[in-house]
Amino acid sequence: MEHKKELEEKLNEISGILQKEFKTEKDVGVLAGISGIALFHFYYSKYLDIDTQADIGINILEEIIERINNGYQFPTFCSGIAGAGWVFEHLLEEDFMDSENDELLADLDEYLLSVMSYDMQRGQYDFLHAGVGYAFYFLKRYRNTRSDELKQRYREYLNKMVADLEATSQKDENGLKWEAVLDRDTGQRGFNLSLSHGMSSIIIFLSKLYEFDEFKSSTEPLLKGAIQYIRSKELKGNDLYSLYPSWVTEENNDRRSRLAWCYGDLGIGLAFWRASAVLKDEELRGKALNILRHGANRRKNEETGIRDAGICHGSYGNAQIFNRIYKETGEETFREATYYWIDHGLKMAIYEDGNAGYKQWNGMDEDWVNRLSLLEGVAGIGLTIIDYLADFESHWDECLMIS
């Protein structure tokens, strides 16, 4: 295994930093809060085959419960209660915990439903911060609850979300699309194609719902319409380094998109890949693989836009995506891309005052900052390294809609 010793040293550094500093994170969510840090410790415990790291994870879960009991109310999947609830469910699924979550989590349902409904009434479907994120959490609960009463409740919540997506969609000759705010500062609106905030997340969410017979008929037209719309926006030309824009406006398509989890071709490729599996659409499967292969061959800085190492828009996010697709296809192209981005990520650990040598580029303030979180910081870097090194299968990256 390439770089194994160096990567294991990084994991040890990351573990020490997270254990020492996790309480400085004010939020509890999976992507930008302490529940994502708990995920790292549970998986690191499994990798090392020792209990001490899991004990740290348990301490973090206890901290989350205490914060909520003391009045913490921020709801979102990325930063708040919905994301923390997703982590509790995931840990149960993966046998890290044996306690039931129904009693712990069900009391939060009405609050999260009210926020989801409010967001969707305003057309705010954003996976990280609005409607799709809550629905993604409710889908996890729907899968796992052992209570028939709760299962029926979550079925109703999910049917409501599908109805809201249908009501807020716009139909044109290219398919179905959902309008969103593209720039909060200017108020610019358009059609966001991304995985983090846009329509690719709708496709993956609907694909996961489509796996259940009770949602097939309601989700199929939305799923196929969204795919049709994004496909219609494929860029044409011989000198393209990205195949799709990040978003579409009346004025023009943003013709360049970065190589990253958050925006660009990789999220669209993942969305088509997941949809092709549930729809049993071989042509779409081929399209998805071609998009992902094209991304695997993008390496130059001017073609990728990579400036830092974190999952959101950095080296390790690309590594995690290509590693996941390699595991599912066995294609050498994706194995090579995984290694390239792992190596690239290691080379970015250059900051003496960084967390394990890592800092994130903060474009708004134009400054390099330390981050702990799964999405932007060293918890996510650590989880990606574990997935690369481990001989066991894991699906923690479902929280990013990767698996």
Side-chain angles (χ1 to χ4, degrees), residues 145-161:
T145 182
R146 297 182 182 180
S147 162
D148 291 340
E149 179 183 351
L150 288 176
K151 201 169 191 70
Q152 177 59 30
R153 177 192 296 181
Y154 298 129
R155 184 182 295 121
E156 291 172 2
Y157 290 2
L158 292 165
N159 279 328
K160 180 177 181 351
M161 182 61 183

Side-chain angles (χ1 to χ4, degrees), residues 109-240:
D109 288 347
E110 287 191 18
Y111 172 55
L112 295 178
L113 174 67
S114 69
V115 182
M116 181 179 83
S117 299
Y118 178 71
D119 282 344
M120 292 305 296
Q121 285 168 11
R122 297 184 300 156
Q124 295 187 0
Y125 65 84
D126 188 308
F127 166 50
L128 293 191
H129 307 303
V132 170
Y134 302 114
F136 195 65
Y137 163 68
F138 286 135
L139 175 57
K140 194 78 157 175
R141 292 286 292 132
Y142 175 78
R143 278 187 196 155
N144 292 340
T145 182
R146 297 182 182 180
S147 162
D148 291 340
E149 179 183 351
L150 288 176
K151 201 169 191 70
Q152 177 59 30
R153 177 192 296 181
Y154 298 129
R155 184 182 295 121
E156 291 172 2
Y157 290 2
L158 292 165
N159 279 328
K160 180 177 181 351
M161 182 61 183
V162 173
D164 286 343
L165 282 171
E166 183 177 14
T168 55
S169 67
Q170 299 178 26
K171 188 172 184 178
D172 66 16
E173 68 278 6
N174 295 316
L176 290 179
K177 58 188 179 181
W178 285 263
E179 193 174 20
V181 174
L182 303 176
D183 188 324
R184 291 187 179 183
D185 292 334
T186 65
Q188 182 188 29
R189 299 182 67 83
F191 303 95
N192 191 326
L193 306 187
S194 75
L195 181 53
S196 54
H197 308 294
M199 288 174 53
S200 290
S201 67
I202 292 178
I203 289 173
I204 293 179
F205 167 67
L206 291 172
S207 297
K208 288 179 177 292
L209 270 185
Y210 186 86
E211 294 183 64
F212 297 91
D213 288 341
E214 50 267 47
F215 299 113
K216 270 188 168 62
S217 62
S218 60
T219 56
E220 185 171 352
L222 299 179
L223 182 55
K224 289 183 175 179
I227 292 166
Q228 182 185 345
Y229 178 78
I230 293 181
R231 289 192 66 168
S232 76
K233 300 306 173 184
E234 183 173 359
L235 301 171
K236 307 299 181 185
N238 298 321
D239 58 345
L240 299 171

Side-chain angles (χ1 to χ4, degrees), residues 243 283-296 334:
L243 301 176
E283 192 272 335
L284 184 62
R285 182 181 189 274
K287 188 70 174 176
L289 286 174
N290 285 337
I291 294 167
L292 294 165
R293 289 175 189 133
H294 179 85
F334 300 125

Side-chain angles (χ1 to χ4, degrees), residues 244-304:
Y244 292 85
S246 293
W247 55 69
V248 179
T249 66
E250 288 186 4
E251 294 78 27
N252 65 309
N253 294 356
D254 173 20
R255 296 191 64 81
R256 296 186 178 186
S257 60
R258 66 206 314 171
L259 190 74
W261 172 82
C262 54
Y263 280 92
D265 292 353
L266 295 186
I268 292 170
L270 279 171
F272 289 177
W273 177 247
R274 296 292 163 224
S276 71
V278 299
L279 294 171
K280 298 180 172 54
D281 185 332
E282 284 300 312
E283 192 272 335
L284 184 62
R285 182 181 189 274
K287 188 70 174 176
L289 286 174
N290 285 337
I291 294 167
L292 294 165
R293 289 175 189 133
H294 179 85
N297 289 315
R298 287 169 64 179
R299 303 286 172 87
K300 297 176 183 177
N301 287 343
E302 61 269 24
E303 294 180 355
T304 65

